[in-house]
Amino acid sequence: LEGQPAFDFVVDGPNVGYANQNFEGGRFSFAQVAEVVSMLQRAGKRVLLILPAKYARDVVPNHTSSSQPDDRITAADRALLDGWRSEGLLYTTGPGMYDDWYWMLATVGRGDSQPVAVTNDAMRDHWADLLPARDFARWRASKVVPFSFGAAASAPRDAAAPPTLAVADPPVAD
C-alpha cells in the first residue's frame, strides 16, 4: 500500500457484502461490494477494499441466517476479486486476523490523506481496546460513513436488477 496513491474511501467488505442478506438463501454478496466500489469510483474516488483472506477463496463462509454454512463463489465473483486485485484496490487480511482493525487503521491516513470508512458496523466491541470512549466517538463521527441499499437488496432478487445504493457524504473537517 505504501507505493500506491492515497485513497479516499476504505470499504469494510464483509459489512457491505452481508448487508440485507440475513434470510434463507442469503450469502456474502460480491455484487453488493462491487456496487459500492463502482459507485465511489464513478465519483472519482480512490478506493481501498478490505476483505479477510477467507473471502478470496473458492469457498467462503456464510454468516447469514441461511442454513448453508458456506458457499462456493461463482465465476462472476472470481472475476470481481481478480479485477480488484489487478486494480490494486483489494487488501486481504491474513488468516485469523480481525479485518475491522485494518479498515479502522486505514482511516488514519498518511500525509494529507483523510480517508473514511464505508461501513454500517456499530463498533460496539471496538472502542474499549483502542481509545477512551469520548475519543473513539469523535473518531467514529469523523471517519465512518454509512451506506444503504434500496429495498430491492433486502430479499432475493434478480441479479440483473441491481439495488439502489446511497453512501453518506463524508464528514466535513473543521
Side-chain angles (χ1 to χ4, degrees), residues 17 26 30 32 44 69 87 94-95 111 116 128 130 152 154 156 162 173:
F30 287 93
Q32 286 182 181
E87 290 178 54
V116 294
L130 292 175
S154 64

PDB file of all heavy atoms in Angstrom, residues 17 26 30 32 44 69 87 94-95 111 116 128 130 152 154 156 162 173:
ATOM      1  N   GLY A  17     -20.853  -6.741   2.098  1.00  0.00           N
ATOM      2  CA  GLY A  17     -21.266  -7.979   1.443  1.00  0.00           C
ATOM      3  C   GLY A  17     -22.397  -8.715   2.136  1.00  0.00           C
ATOM      4  O   GLY A  17     -23.166  -9.429   1.500  1.00  0.00           O
ATOM      5  N   GLY A  26     -29.668 -16.288   1.741  1.00  0.00           N
ATOM      6  CA  GLY A  26     -28.755 -15.148   1.733  1.00  0.00           C
ATOM      7  C   GLY A  26     -27.317 -15.628   1.745  1.00  0.00           C
ATOM      8  O   GLY A  26     -27.021 -16.762   2.138  1.00  0.00           O
ATOM      9  N   PHE A  30     -20.760 -10.506  -3.334  1.00  0.00           N
ATOM     10  CA  PHE A  30     -19.688  -9.787  -4.015  1.00  0.00           C
ATOM     11  C   PHE A  30     -20.276  -8.680  -4.882  1.00  0.00           C
ATOM     12  O   PHE A  30     -19.660  -7.630  -5.063  1.00  0.00           O
ATOM     13  CB  PHE A  30     -18.869 -10.752  -4.878  1.00  0.00           C
ATOM     14  CG  PHE A  30     -17.982 -11.660  -4.081  1.00  0.00           C
ATOM     15  CD1 PHE A  30     -18.420 -12.916  -3.686  1.00  0.00           C
ATOM     16  CD2 PHE A  30     -16.705 -11.266  -3.719  1.00  0.00           C
ATOM     17  CE1 PHE A  30     -17.599 -13.764  -2.960  1.00  0.00           C
ATOM     18  CE2 PHE A  30     -15.875 -12.104  -2.991  1.00  0.00           C
ATOM     19  CZ  PHE A  30     -16.327 -13.350  -2.601  1.00  0.00           C
ATOM     20  N   GLN A  32     -22.820  -6.758  -4.200  1.00  0.00           N
ATOM     21  CA  GLN A  32     -23.059  -5.563  -3.377  1.00  0.00           C
ATOM     22  C   GLN A  32     -21.758  -4.808  -3.130  1.00  0.00           C
ATOM     23  O   GLN A  32     -21.720  -3.580  -3.181  1.00  0.00           O
ATOM     24  CB  GLN A  32     -23.705  -5.939  -2.039  1.00  0.00           C
ATOM     25  CG  GLN A  32     -25.144  -6.315  -2.171  1.00  0.00           C
ATOM     26  CD  GLN A  32     -25.816  -6.654  -0.857  1.00  0.00           C
ATOM     27  OE1 GLN A  32     -26.976  -6.995  -0.879  1.00  0.00           O
ATOM     28  NE2 GLN A  32     -25.146  -6.591   0.281  1.00  0.00           N
ATOM     29  N   GLY A  44     -15.077   9.422  -8.924  1.00  0.00           N
ATOM     30  CA  GLY A  44     -13.688   9.854  -8.979  1.00  0.00           C
ATOM     31  C   GLY A  44     -12.900   9.606  -7.702  1.00  0.00           C
ATOM     32  O   GLY A  44     -11.835  10.182  -7.502  1.00  0.00           O
ATOM     33  N   PRO A  69     -23.858 -23.297   5.511  1.00  0.00           N
ATOM     34  CA  PRO A  69     -22.750 -22.711   6.282  1.00  0.00           C
ATOM     35  C   PRO A  69     -21.668 -22.045   5.444  1.00  0.00           C
ATOM     36  O   PRO A  69     -20.917 -21.218   5.938  1.00  0.00           O
ATOM     37  CB  PRO A  69     -22.178 -23.902   7.050  1.00  0.00           C
ATOM     38  CG  PRO A  69     -22.512 -25.089   6.212  1.00  0.00           C
ATOM     39  CD  PRO A  69     -23.828 -24.762   5.542  1.00  0.00           C
ATOM     40  N   GLU A  87      -6.479  -4.082 -10.121  1.00  0.00           N
ATOM     41  CA  GLU A  87      -6.584  -2.629  -9.960  1.00  0.00           C
ATOM     42  C   GLU A  87      -5.790  -2.128  -8.753  1.00  0.00           C
ATOM     43  O   GLU A  87      -5.627  -0.926  -8.583  1.00  0.00           O
ATOM     44  CB  GLU A  87      -8.048  -2.205  -9.780  1.00  0.00           C
ATOM     45  CG  GLU A  87      -8.900  -2.350 -11.006  1.00  0.00           C
ATOM     46  CD  GLU A  87     -10.341  -1.945 -10.719  1.00  0.00           C
ATOM     47  OE1 GLU A  87     -10.560  -0.816 -10.227  1.00  0.00           O
ATOM     48  OE2 GLU A  87     -11.238  -2.773 -10.968  1.00  0.00           O
ATOM     49  N   GLY A  94      -4.686 -11.357   6.770  1.00  0.00           N
ATOM     50  CA  GLY A  94      -4.200 -12.712   6.972  1.00  0.00           C
ATOM     51  C   GLY A  94      -5.219 -13.605   7.656  1.00  0.00           C
ATOM     52  O   GLY A  94      -6.161 -13.123   8.289  1.00  0.00           O
ATOM     53  N   PRO A  95      -5.034 -14.916   7.532  1.00  0.00           N
ATOM     54  CA  PRO A  95      -5.941 -15.863   8.190  1.00  0.00           C
ATOM     55  C   PRO A  95      -5.993 -15.602   9.697  1.00  0.00           C
ATOM     56  O   PRO A  95      -4.961 -15.386  10.336  1.00  0.00           O
ATOM     57  CB  PRO A  95      -5.311 -17.230   7.897  1.00  0.00           C
ATOM     58  CG  PRO A  95      -4.463 -17.006   6.686  1.00  0.00           C
ATOM     59  CD  PRO A  95      -3.975 -15.585   6.782  1.00  0.00           C
ATOM     60  N   GLY A 111       0.122  11.443   5.443  1.00  0.00           N
ATOM     61  CA  GLY A 111       0.302  12.737   4.791  1.00  0.00           C
ATOM     62  C   GLY A 111      -0.988  13.542   4.852  1.00  0.00           C
ATOM     63  O   GLY A 111      -1.617  13.643   5.896  1.00  0.00           O
ATOM     64  N   VAL A 116     -12.000   7.857   4.719  1.00  0.00           N
ATOM     65  CA  VAL A 116     -13.081   7.480   5.621  1.00  0.00           C
ATOM     66  C   VAL A 116     -13.527   6.059   5.283  1.00  0.00           C
ATOM     67  O   VAL A 116     -13.322   5.581   4.169  1.00  0.00           O
ATOM     68  CB  VAL A 116     -14.281   8.455   5.543  1.00  0.00           C
ATOM     69  CG1 VAL A 116     -13.898   9.829   6.040  1.00  0.00           C
ATOM     70  CG2 VAL A 116     -14.837   8.541   4.135  1.00  0.00           C
ATOM     71  N   ALA A 128     -13.175  -0.085  23.319  1.00  0.00           N
ATOM     72  CA  ALA A 128     -12.549  -0.329  24.617  1.00  0.00           C
ATOM     73  C   ALA A 128     -11.060  -0.664  24.492  1.00  0.00           C
ATOM     74  O   ALA A 128     -10.272  -0.325  25.368  1.00  0.00           O
ATOM     75  CB  ALA A 128     -13.276  -1.453  25.349  1.00  0.00           C
ATOM     76  N   LEU A 130      -9.068   0.456  22.041  1.00  0.00           N
ATOM     77  CA  LEU A 130      -8.351   1.447  21.247  1.00  0.00           C
ATOM     78  C   LEU A 130      -8.176   2.789  21.941  1.00  0.00           C
ATOM     79  O   LEU A 130      -7.054   3.281  22.057  1.00  0.00           O
ATOM     80  CB  LEU A 130      -9.094   1.691  19.928  1.00  0.00           C
ATOM     81  CG  LEU A 130      -9.114   0.541  18.953  1.00  0.00           C
ATOM     82  CD1 LEU A 130      -9.985   0.888  17.761  1.00  0.00           C
ATOM     83  CD2 LEU A 130      -7.707   0.228  18.494  1.00  0.00           C
ATOM     84  N   ALA A 152     -34.794  -3.293  -2.836  1.00  0.00           N
ATOM     85  CA  ALA A 152     -34.557  -4.445  -3.717  1.00  0.00           C
ATOM     86  C   ALA A 152     -33.456  -5.355  -3.206  1.00  0.00           C
ATOM     87  O   ALA A 152     -33.384  -6.506  -3.577  1.00  0.00           O
ATOM     88  CB  ALA A 152     -34.215  -3.967  -5.127  1.00  0.00           C
ATOM     89  N   SER A 154     -33.035  -6.248  -0.027  1.00  0.00           N
ATOM     90  CA  SER A 154     -33.383  -6.903   1.230  1.00  0.00           C
ATOM     91  C   SER A 154     -34.059  -8.259   1.065  1.00  0.00           C
ATOM     92  O   SER A 154     -34.452  -8.859   2.042  1.00  0.00           O
ATOM     93  CB  SER A 154     -34.274  -5.970   2.059  1.00  0.00           C
ATOM     94  OG  SER A 154     -35.483  -5.748   1.374  1.00  0.00           O
ATOM     95  N   PRO A 156     -34.393 -11.902  -1.827  1.00  0.00           N
ATOM     96  CA  PRO A 156     -33.857 -12.492  -3.062  1.00  0.00           C
ATOM     97  C   PRO A 156     -34.363 -11.696  -4.269  1.00  0.00           C
ATOM     98  O   PRO A 156     -35.500 -11.255  -4.299  1.00  0.00           O
ATOM     99  CB  PRO A 156     -34.435 -13.905  -3.046  1.00  0.00           C
ATOM    100  CG  PRO A 156     -34.727 -14.189  -1.612  1.00  0.00           C
ATOM    101  CD  PRO A 156     -35.101 -12.865  -1.007  1.00  0.00           C
ATOM    102  N   PRO A 162     -29.831  -4.486 -10.204  1.00  0.00           N
ATOM    103  CA  PRO A 162     -29.040  -4.135  -9.031  1.00  0.00           C
ATOM    104  C   PRO A 162     -29.817  -3.234  -8.078  1.00  0.00           C
ATOM    105  O   PRO A 162     -30.701  -2.490  -8.497  1.00  0.00           O
ATOM    106  CB  PRO A 162     -27.836  -3.398  -9.618  1.00  0.00           C
ATOM    107  CG  PRO A 162     -28.288  -2.910 -10.945  1.00  0.00           C
ATOM    108  CD  PRO A 162     -29.318  -3.890 -11.422  1.00  0.00           C
ATOM    109  N   ALA A 173     -14.335  18.356   7.534  1.00  0.00           N
ATOM    110  CA  ALA A 173     -13.336  18.663   8.552  1.00  0.00           C
ATOM    111  C   ALA A 173     -13.480  20.109   8.998  1.00  0.00           C
ATOM    112  O   ALA A 173     -13.742  20.992   8.188  1.00  0.00           O
ATOM    113  CB  ALA A 173     -11.940  18.413   8.004  1.00  0.00           C
TER     114      ALA A 173
END
